[in-house]
Amino acid sequence: MEETAGWPEPVVRVQSLSESGAATIPDRYVKPVDDRPSPSDCCSSSDAASSTDGGTVIPVVDLSSADAARAVSEACREWGFFQAVNHGVPLELLRRARAAWRGFFRLPLELKQRHENSPATYEGYGSRLGVEPGAVLDWGDYYFLHLRPPSALSPDDKWPLVPPDLREATEEYGREVAALCERLLAAMSCGLGVGEKRLQEEFGGAEGAGVCVRVNYYPRCPQPELTLGLSSHSDPGGMTVLLADERVRGLQVRARGGGGGWMTVDPVADAFIVNVGDQIQVLTNATYRSVEHRVTANAGAERLSIAAFYNPRSDLPLAPMPELVSPPGRPPLYRPMTFDEYRLYIRRKGPRGKSQVESLKADDGDR
Ligand code: OGA
Ligand code: NI
């Protein structure tokens, strides 16, 4: 019998499919027609710019400016996505973290396989989200680790030993990104007209908040027009700080105002791409909203991104903050749920647009 480590079927590494040199992708990765990228979006590497809606771009916020807090809250209110420049995280650390993880993904498959993950915690080397047998899969492998709170830190056996610098660089990266998220959360709080510490309190304080990383590795794909590197989803947690690949594009954000369009993000050098997650949407009673995003695959180049998730303490029931609720005009839009319960959904079903936060809508049928 094949080893599945708790997955419903044997796990196939996308990297091994890519390196097999096959000219076509297995049926399991072929998306329904409506979910496929538009041809102009999936076949560019660093050179050809493209965006389905004619070039709209997400805001760039200079975190060193006097006006930064207002700009952050405005970007969260209007877009749910922005690029942060002059963020204060040492650029040398960004380079170290990227280099370490590139080194890891370049190791022979057998070495990476030692850290194979399972759907129980997702920590380790993975190639799918969701456990439904027969699901259509995404063209990407990843590595997932918990960094905070200290009680949740991934155990030693979940950490790669090679490259030797990987663990220290990742832990240091996690500390820096956590400090950045604390600042961003204060700015978001101010913009709500509540005290600057309120969102952080709802997260269980700086000590209670969770930090985890998902390093995404998208190998070259022979048929990028048929699949996605990562299907449309909103991030389930509090907020996400993404270090995108400096050379290869791929992240697309759902265009504002519906219409189903996707805009390709053009990463600013050394910037972080920050986005609002579902828990901030719930806490702010949808003043700030999470936004659907996805990743296209690429025929010409592999792509690496490091997503750090800053999450509320996982055992607190989260609901819209009382200051932002005043029935009947402004009823609470969501019913309370802990983040532990909430994240089981994406772990069971995989990425599914914004269906989960929608399913948390308080029943207003009898109002
Ligand atoms: C994620 C994500 C985007 C990317 O990991 O949740 O949206 O560009 N990643 O890899
Ligand atoms: Ni995401």
PDB file of all heavy atoms in Angstrom, residues 214 216 218 230 233 235 240 242 244 250-251 293-295 303 305-307 309, ligand 1:
ATOM      1  N   ARG A 214       3.896  30.180   5.197  1.00  0.00           N
ATOM      2  CA  ARG A 214       3.700  29.200   4.135  1.00  0.00           C
ATOM      3  C   ARG A 214       4.604  29.652   3.005  1.00  0.00           C
ATOM      4  O   ARG A 214       4.410  30.725   2.431  1.00  0.00           O
ATOM      5  CB  ARG A 214       2.237  29.244   3.714  1.00  0.00           C
ATOM      6  CG  ARG A 214       1.850  28.223   2.694  1.00  0.00           C
ATOM      7  CD  ARG A 214       0.354  28.372   2.395  1.00  0.00           C
ATOM      8  NE  ARG A 214       0.169  28.219   0.987  1.00  0.00           N
ATOM      9  CZ  ARG A 214      -0.427  27.168   0.413  1.00  0.00           C
ATOM     10  NH1 ARG A 214      -0.955  26.223   1.140  1.00  0.00           N
ATOM     11  NH2 ARG A 214      -0.514  27.088  -0.874  1.00  0.00           N
ATOM     12  N   ASN A 216       5.660  29.192  -0.594  1.00  0.00           N
ATOM     13  CA  ASN A 216       5.047  28.605  -1.783  1.00  0.00           C
ATOM     14  C   ASN A 216       6.096  28.444  -2.871  1.00  0.00           C
ATOM     15  O   ASN A 216       6.832  29.388  -3.171  1.00  0.00           O
ATOM     16  CB  ASN A 216       3.948  29.531  -2.316  1.00  0.00           C
ATOM     17  CG  ASN A 216       2.802  29.705  -1.331  1.00  0.00           C
ATOM     18  OD1 ASN A 216       2.069  28.759  -1.060  1.00  0.00           O
ATOM     19  ND2 ASN A 216       2.660  30.913  -0.782  1.00  0.00           N
ATOM     20  N   TYR A 218       6.247  27.353  -6.805  1.00  0.00           N
ATOM     21  CA  TYR A 218       5.467  27.056  -8.002  1.00  0.00           C
ATOM     22  C   TYR A 218       6.427  26.662  -9.120  1.00  0.00           C
ATOM     23  O   TYR A 218       7.053  27.528  -9.742  1.00  0.00           O
ATOM     24  CB  TYR A 218       4.663  28.286  -8.432  1.00  0.00           C
ATOM     25  CG  TYR A 218       3.786  28.868  -7.324  1.00  0.00           C
ATOM     26  CD1 TYR A 218       4.192  29.989  -6.592  1.00  0.00           C
ATOM     27  CD2 TYR A 218       2.556  28.290  -7.017  1.00  0.00           C
ATOM     28  CE1 TYR A 218       3.396  30.525  -5.592  1.00  0.00           C
ATOM     29  CE2 TYR A 218       1.746  28.819  -6.013  1.00  0.00           C
ATOM     30  CZ  TYR A 218       2.181  29.935  -5.302  1.00  0.00           C
ATOM     31  OH  TYR A 218       1.385  30.458  -4.310  1.00  0.00           O
ATOM     32  N   LEU A 230      -2.258  28.512  -7.362  1.00  0.00           N
ATOM     33  CA  LEU A 230      -3.048  28.494  -6.128  1.00  0.00           C
ATOM     34  C   LEU A 230      -4.430  29.039  -6.491  1.00  0.00           C
ATOM     35  O   LEU A 230      -4.534  30.128  -7.054  1.00  0.00           O
ATOM     36  CB  LEU A 230      -2.361  29.363  -5.053  1.00  0.00           C
ATOM     37  CG  LEU A 230      -2.978  29.476  -3.667  1.00  0.00           C
ATOM     38  CD1 LEU A 230      -3.224  28.113  -3.027  1.00  0.00           C
ATOM     39  CD2 LEU A 230      -2.086  30.313  -2.747  1.00  0.00           C
ATOM     40  N   HIS A 233      -8.891  32.280  -3.306  1.00  0.00           N
ATOM     41  CA  HIS A 233      -9.221  32.136  -1.879  1.00  0.00           C
ATOM     42  C   HIS A 233      -9.084  33.500  -1.229  1.00  0.00           C
ATOM     43  O   HIS A 233      -8.483  34.411  -1.805  1.00  0.00           O
ATOM     44  CB  HIS A 233      -8.243  31.151  -1.204  1.00  0.00           C
ATOM     45  CG  HIS A 233      -6.826  31.648  -1.178  1.00  0.00           C
ATOM     46  ND1 HIS A 233      -6.015  31.625  -2.307  1.00  0.00           N
ATOM     47  CD2 HIS A 233      -6.089  32.226  -0.202  1.00  0.00           C
ATOM     48  CE1 HIS A 233      -4.843  32.150  -2.003  1.00  0.00           C
ATOM     49  NE2 HIS A 233      -4.860  32.534  -0.732  1.00  0.00           N
ATOM     50  N   ASP A 235      -7.587  34.877   2.576  1.00  0.00           N
ATOM     51  CA  ASP A 235      -6.780  34.284   3.634  1.00  0.00           C
ATOM     52  C   ASP A 235      -7.616  34.200   4.905  1.00  0.00           C
ATOM     53  O   ASP A 235      -8.240  35.180   5.307  1.00  0.00           O
ATOM     54  CB  ASP A 235      -5.503  35.099   3.844  1.00  0.00           C
ATOM     55  CG  ASP A 235      -4.564  34.994   2.639  1.00  0.00           C
ATOM     56  OD1 ASP A 235      -4.681  34.007   1.881  1.00  0.00           O
ATOM     57  OD2 ASP A 235      -3.725  35.892   2.449  1.00  0.00           O
ATOM     58  N   THR A 240      -2.094  39.115   6.096  1.00  0.00           N
ATOM     59  CA  THR A 240      -1.003  38.387   5.452  1.00  0.00           C
ATOM     60  C   THR A 240       0.037  39.363   4.947  1.00  0.00           C
ATOM     61  O   THR A 240      -0.308  40.412   4.399  1.00  0.00           O
ATOM     62  CB  THR A 240      -1.549  37.561   4.264  1.00  0.00           C
ATOM     63  OG1 THR A 240      -2.574  36.706   4.758  1.00  0.00           O
ATOM     64  CG2 THR A 240      -0.457  36.725   3.612  1.00  0.00           C
ATOM     65  N   LEU A 242       3.104  39.218   2.436  1.00  0.00           N
ATOM     66  CA  LEU A 242       3.681  38.343   1.412  1.00  0.00           C
ATOM     67  C   LEU A 242       4.960  38.940   0.843  1.00  0.00           C
ATOM     68  O   LEU A 242       4.986  40.099   0.439  1.00  0.00           O
ATOM     69  CB  LEU A 242       2.679  38.145   0.269  1.00  0.00           C
ATOM     70  CG  LEU A 242       3.152  37.206  -0.851  1.00  0.00           C
ATOM     71  CD1 LEU A 242       2.855  35.757  -0.488  1.00  0.00           C
ATOM     72  CD2 LEU A 242       2.484  37.543  -2.179  1.00  0.00           C
ATOM     73  N   ALA A 244       6.792  38.480  -2.264  1.00  0.00           N
ATOM     74  CA  ALA A 244       6.594  37.846  -3.567  1.00  0.00           C
ATOM     75  C   ALA A 244       7.948  37.595  -4.222  1.00  0.00           C
ATOM     76  O   ALA A 244       8.968  38.140  -3.793  1.00  0.00           O
ATOM     77  CB  ALA A 244       5.730  38.747  -4.449  1.00  0.00           C
ATOM     78  N   GLY A 250       2.782  36.513 -10.679  1.00  0.00           N
ATOM     79  CA  GLY A 250       1.844  35.390 -10.598  1.00  0.00           C
ATOM     80  C   GLY A 250       0.635  35.702  -9.742  1.00  0.00           C
ATOM     81  O   GLY A 250      -0.457  35.195  -9.984  1.00  0.00           O
ATOM     82  N   LEU A 251       0.823  36.563  -8.728  1.00  0.00           N
ATOM     83  CA  LEU A 251      -0.305  36.874  -7.847  1.00  0.00           C
ATOM     84  C   LEU A 251      -1.323  37.745  -8.575  1.00  0.00           C
ATOM     85  O   LEU A 251      -0.963  38.737  -9.198  1.00  0.00           O
ATOM     86  CB  LEU A 251       0.208  37.612  -6.606  1.00  0.00           C
ATOM     87  CG  LEU A 251      -0.853  38.089  -5.623  1.00  0.00           C
ATOM     88  CD1 LEU A 251      -1.627  36.933  -5.002  1.00  0.00           C
ATOM     89  CD2 LEU A 251      -0.215  38.944  -4.517  1.00  0.00           C
ATOM     90  N   HIS A 293      -7.888  36.275  -3.953  1.00  0.00           N
ATOM     91  CA  HIS A 293      -6.687  36.322  -4.782  1.00  0.00           C
ATOM     92  C   HIS A 293      -6.324  34.903  -5.207  1.00  0.00           C
ATOM     93  O   HIS A 293      -6.846  33.930  -4.669  1.00  0.00           O
ATOM     94  CB  HIS A 293      -5.538  37.015  -4.044  1.00  0.00           C
ATOM     95  CG  HIS A 293      -5.257  36.467  -2.673  1.00  0.00           C
ATOM     96  ND1 HIS A 293      -6.058  36.729  -1.579  1.00  0.00           N
ATOM     97  CD2 HIS A 293      -4.277  35.660  -2.213  1.00  0.00           C
ATOM     98  CE1 HIS A 293      -5.567  36.120  -0.512  1.00  0.00           C
ATOM     99  NE2 HIS A 293      -4.488  35.450  -0.869  1.00  0.00           N
ATOM    100  N   ARG A 294      -5.457  34.797  -6.186  1.00  0.00           N
ATOM    101  CA  ARG A 294      -5.043  33.495  -6.711  1.00  0.00           C
ATOM    102  C   ARG A 294      -3.672  33.656  -7.343  1.00  0.00           C
ATOM    103  O   ARG A 294      -3.161  34.776  -7.451  1.00  0.00           O
ATOM    104  CB  ARG A 294      -6.057  32.993  -7.739  1.00  0.00           C
ATOM    105  CG  ARG A 294      -6.080  33.831  -9.006  1.00  0.00           C
ATOM    106  CD  ARG A 294      -7.098  33.315 -10.011  1.00  0.00           C
ATOM    107  NE  ARG A 294      -6.937  33.999 -11.291  1.00  0.00           N
ATOM    108  CZ  ARG A 294      -7.707  33.786 -12.351  1.00  0.00           C
ATOM    109  NH1 ARG A 294      -8.717  32.928 -12.282  1.00  0.00           N
ATOM    110  NH2 ARG A 294      -7.482  34.434 -13.481  1.00  0.00           N
ATOM    111  N   VAL A 295      -3.089  32.553  -7.751  1.00  0.00           N
ATOM    112  CA  VAL A 295      -1.759  32.597  -8.351  1.00  0.00           C
ATOM    113  C   VAL A 295      -1.796  31.837  -9.672  1.00  0.00           C
ATOM    114  O   VAL A 295      -2.314  30.712  -9.724  1.00  0.00           O
ATOM    115  CB  VAL A 295      -0.705  31.981  -7.399  1.00  0.00           C
ATOM    116  CG1 VAL A 295       0.668  31.963  -8.045  1.00  0.00           C
ATOM    117  CG2 VAL A 295      -0.666  32.743  -6.073  1.00  0.00           C
ATOM    118  N   ARG A 303       8.628  29.989  -9.410  1.00  0.00           N
ATOM    119  CA  ARG A 303       8.344  31.169  -8.591  1.00  0.00           C
ATOM    120  C   ARG A 303       8.309  30.763  -7.129  1.00  0.00           C
ATOM    121  O   ARG A 303       7.771  29.702  -6.795  1.00  0.00           O
ATOM    122  CB  ARG A 303       6.999  31.760  -9.011  1.00  0.00           C
ATOM    123  CG  ARG A 303       6.561  32.984  -8.230  1.00  0.00           C
ATOM    124  CD  ARG A 303       5.310  33.616  -8.853  1.00  0.00           C
ATOM    125  NE  ARG A 303       4.899  34.783  -8.093  1.00  0.00           N
ATOM    126  CZ  ARG A 303       4.083  34.746  -7.054  1.00  0.00           C
ATOM    127  NH1 ARG A 303       3.564  33.601  -6.652  1.00  0.00           N
ATOM    128  NH2 ARG A 303       3.761  35.859  -6.403  1.00  0.00           N
ATOM    129  N   SER A 305       7.393  32.308  -3.173  1.00  0.00           N
ATOM    130  CA  SER A 305       6.872  33.408  -2.362  1.00  0.00           C
ATOM    131  C   SER A 305       6.837  32.954  -0.907  1.00  0.00           C
ATOM    132  O   SER A 305       6.716  31.761  -0.628  1.00  0.00           O
ATOM    133  CB  SER A 305       5.461  33.793  -2.821  1.00  0.00           C
ATOM    134  OG  SER A 305       4.542  32.769  -2.498  1.00  0.00           O
ATOM    135  N   ILE A 306       6.972  33.915  -0.005  1.00  0.00           N
ATOM    136  CA  ILE A 306       6.900  33.595   1.428  1.00  0.00           C
ATOM    137  C   ILE A 306       5.718  34.362   2.007  1.00  0.00           C
ATOM    138  O   ILE A 306       5.730  35.595   2.061  1.00  0.00           O
ATOM    139  CB  ILE A 306       8.203  34.000   2.160  1.00  0.00           C
ATOM    140  CG1 ILE A 306       9.423  33.335   1.484  1.00  0.00           C
ATOM    141  CG2 ILE A 306       8.113  33.623   3.632  1.00  0.00           C
ATOM    142  CD1 ILE A 306      10.763  33.695   2.129  1.00  0.00           C
ATOM    143  N   ALA A 307       4.686  33.626   2.394  1.00  0.00           N
ATOM    144  CA  ALA A 307       3.507  34.258   2.986  1.00  0.00           C
ATOM    145  C   ALA A 307       3.585  34.092   4.495  1.00  0.00           C
ATOM    146  O   ALA A 307       3.710  32.964   4.985  1.00  0.00           O
ATOM    147  CB  ALA A 307       2.230  33.617   2.443  1.00  0.00           C
ATOM    148  N   PHE A 309       1.476  34.758   7.933  1.00  0.00           N
ATOM    149  CA  PHE A 309       0.099  35.015   8.369  1.00  0.00           C
ATOM    150  C   PHE A 309       0.118  35.460   9.820  1.00  0.00           C
ATOM    151  O   PHE A 309       0.689  34.776  10.679  1.00  0.00           O
ATOM    152  CB  PHE A 309      -0.751  33.748   8.216  1.00  0.00           C
ATOM    153  CG  PHE A 309      -0.752  33.185   6.824  1.00  0.00           C
ATOM    154  CD1 PHE A 309      -0.054  32.013   6.526  1.00  0.00           C
ATOM    155  CD2 PHE A 309      -1.431  33.816   5.795  1.00  0.00           C
ATOM    156  CE1 PHE A 309      -0.042  31.491   5.241  1.00  0.00           C
ATOM    157  CE2 PHE A 309      -1.428  33.299   4.499  1.00  0.00           C
ATOM    158  CZ  PHE A 309      -0.736  32.136   4.227  1.00  0.00           C
TER     159      PHE A 309
HETATM  160  C1  OGA B   1      -1.120  32.384   0.109  1.00  0.00           C
HETATM  161  C2  OGA B   1      -1.074  33.228  -1.118  1.00  0.00           C
HETATM  162  C3  OGA B   1       0.229  34.188  -2.908  1.00  0.00           C
HETATM  163  C4  OGA B   1       1.496  33.968  -3.654  1.00  0.00           C
HETATM  164  O1  OGA B   1      -0.115  31.671   0.371  1.00  0.00           O
HETATM  165  O2  OGA B   1      -2.156  32.449   0.808  1.00  0.00           O
HETATM  166  O3  OGA B   1      -2.061  33.820  -1.433  1.00  0.00           O
HETATM  167  O4  OGA B   1       1.838  34.870  -4.429  1.00  0.00           O
HETATM  168  N1  OGA B   1       0.093  33.285  -1.805  1.00  0.00           N
HETATM  169  O5  OGA B   1       2.130  32.930  -3.493  1.00  0.00           O
END
